[in-house]
Amino acid sequence: MAARTDADGGQKKRRVWLRGILPALLLAFPTVPAVAFAAAPSQDAEIAQLQQLRAADTRLFGIFWRLGSRNAALCEGAVPAIGALLQARSSYDGDFAEAAQRYFSFESELSVEVVAPDGPADRAGLRPNDSIVAIGGRPLPDVRGPEAVAAAQRALVEAGTRGPIELTVLRGGERKRITISPLKTCSGRVELMVSADRVASTDGDVVQISSGLFNIVPADAELAAVIAHEYSHLILRHPQRLTDAGVDRGLLAMFGKNRRLIRRTEAEADRLSVYLLLNAGYDPMAAGRFWRNAGRKIDAGFLSDGTHMGWRKRAELLDAEAERARAATGNPVIPDLLKTRDTPLE
């Protein structure tokens, strides 16, 4: 696990990605349908990259939503959500500002980038590129960038606790009101982190998957296993519990108590992850397959200090837990491991 260091979260990283790293991602995804407008020749590359950005976010968010919404019973403080990934116009700058405006059709600061298939927003008729101007009849605050996204998320949760959520959106210049019945889901967010490293991490709120890892996991079930492992850290409150135990997750992580407790939480997250997969309709054996396939290519750095098991042992542990999960009863299956999340690590 690793804490984020950028104040803007994924939005800041997205700007860096668009300027230099995203072209490498183009090799990993099929071409999405062409947009409805004719881009100027000088913008062809930028538009293609934005198409691939949306394809990547669609895949990542779809998996994250499926895991979170179908495991709400396992989460403390599940929150109402609509199943849509929002973005801010001012998060795109430089050469991409105009291209983003044209491709995403921003009609306000905040718009919908991705809608989870068959989620509440999808069923209510919300569409990608809808621009949001009000939530619950209240205009959005005059903030920009990541702050606009965060403010909208807070407003959605607040409105959702009272019942159906009314969104006022602009679509092609026309003002529409869309009423969405939210669904309880595990809290947290997912981001694609710009890095050639092959890593996944969480800071206790955000699950980050590096583009280097994302690109080498073609099977959705195996990518879901990676996300489920990090999600399990959130559900089991590992980041906060490690902090409360005084564990150093930096240079001293490989020594003594630090090493022992981090290794323990990693094993617990592995074990819980197969239940998240099972409850979300993924094959729980996909977790072991990940470590026998793409997982073997992961950078050795964070696996070689003793805080994580090697890939063979992880695959064996995951296979054994997956067999227990498949034999368990309940829908969803709720493992006894959840009882440990309020227990201090020692």
Side-chain angles (χ1 to χ4, degrees):
M1 296 180 292
R4 292 179 301 152
T5 57
D6 58 301
D8 289 344
Q11 298 287 356
K12 179 178 179 181
K13 289 173 180 171
R14 174 166 294 177
R15 290 199 292 268
V16 176
W17 182 18
L18 288 171
R19 285 177 171 175
I21 300 177
L22 182 62
L25 192 63
L26 298 178
L27 302 177
F29 300 98
T31 302
V32 296
V35 291
F37 59 84
S42 62
Q43 289 192 325
D44 285 350
E46 287 88 346
I47 295 298
Q49 290 174 30
L50 291 173
Q51 289 176 321
Q52 298 304 326
L53 169 62
R54 173 171 271 169
D57 282 346
T58 297
R59 182 188 182 207
L60 197 64
F61 179 71
I63 293 171
F64 189 77
W65 170 260
R66 182 169 162 181
L67 288 168
S69 60
R70 299 191 190 183
N71 283 286
L74 280 67
C75 299
E76 293 180 318
V79 296
I82 64 173
L85 183 64
L86 308 181
Q87 63 176 350
R89 172 166 52 193
S90 58
S91 292
Y92 297 91
D93 60 7
D95 296 338
F96 280 88
E98 183 178 353
Q101 175 62 47
R102 299 183 68 182
Y103 179 57
F104 294 119
S105 304
F106 285 103
E107 297 181 72
S108 69
E109 172 64 11
L110 194 73
S111 82
V112 178
E113 184 192 5
V114 174
V115 176
D118 200 36
D122 186 32
R123 293 194 295 269
L126 191 69
R127 295 291 176 259
N129 289 12
D130 281 351
S131 292
I132 301 174
V133 295
I135 296 175
R138 298 179 180 177
L140 297 180
D142 186 20
V143 292
R144 298 164 63 82
E147 290 78 11
V149 175
Q153 296 288 6
R154 290 192 296 269
L156 288 169
V157 171
E158 180 183 352
T161 59
R162 298 191 298 269
I165 303 170
E166 182 184 87
L167 296 186
T168 304
V169 305
L170 294 173
R171 183 186 298 168
E174 183 179 353
R175 201 176 186 89
K176 295 180 176 290
R177 288 186 174 87
I178 299 174
T179 301
I180 304 172
S181 297
L183 186 67
K184 283 292 186 70
T185 185
C186 297
S187 62
R189 296 185 290 116
V190 67
E191 294 178 348
L192 196 61
M193 176 180 66
V194 179
S195 174
D197 295 335
R198 295 167 178 174
V199 296
S201 63
T202 182
D203 63 357
D205 176 46
V206 179
V207 170
Q208 290 186 329
I209 307 296
S210 72
S211 52
L213 177 57
F214 183 87
N215 283 344
I216 64 169
V217 189
D220 278 359
E222 293 183 21
L223 182 60
V226 176
I227 298 171
H229 172 90
E230 300 303 331
Y231 224 151
S232 294
H233 283 309
L234 299 184
I235 293 171
L236 292 170
R237 301 180 55 246
H238 282 155
Q240 184 59 52
R241 290 167 64 202
L242 286 168
T243 297
D244 291 344
V247 172
D248 189 315
R249 284 163 275 178
L251 294 175
L252 299 179
M254 67 186 72
F255 300 107
K257 174 184 173 181
N258 300 326
R259 175 183 180 275
R260 174 173 57 83
L261 292 183
I262 293 173
R263 189 179 178 95
R264 171 182 160 182
T265 60
E266 291 301 323
E268 288 180 352
D270 275 345
R271 290 174 53 207
L272 181 58
S273 70
V274 300
Y275 294 91
L276 302 190
L277 292 173
L278 177 69
N279 292 336
Y282 293 107
D283 179 4
M285 301 300 291
R289 288 200 302 272
F290 166 78
W291 284 104
R292 292 186 177 92
N293 296 321
R296 297 175 64 178
K297 305 174 185 177
I298 284 183
D299 303 315
F302 79 93
L303 297 176
S304 62
D305 61 6
T307 60
H308 296 66
M309 289 183 287
W311 68 266
R312 286 186 180 85
K313 289 186 177 180
R314 292 188 82 165
E316 291 170 1
L317 180 148
L318 286 160
D319 286 349
E321 197 68 42
E323 291 292 353
R324 285 191 286 271
R326 293 201 293 192
T329 58
N331 184 22
V333 177
I334 302 178
D336 288 341
L337 182 59
L338 286 182
K339 297 176 182 178
T340 68
R341 65 180 158 202
D342 293 320
T343 304
L345 292 169
E346 54 186 23

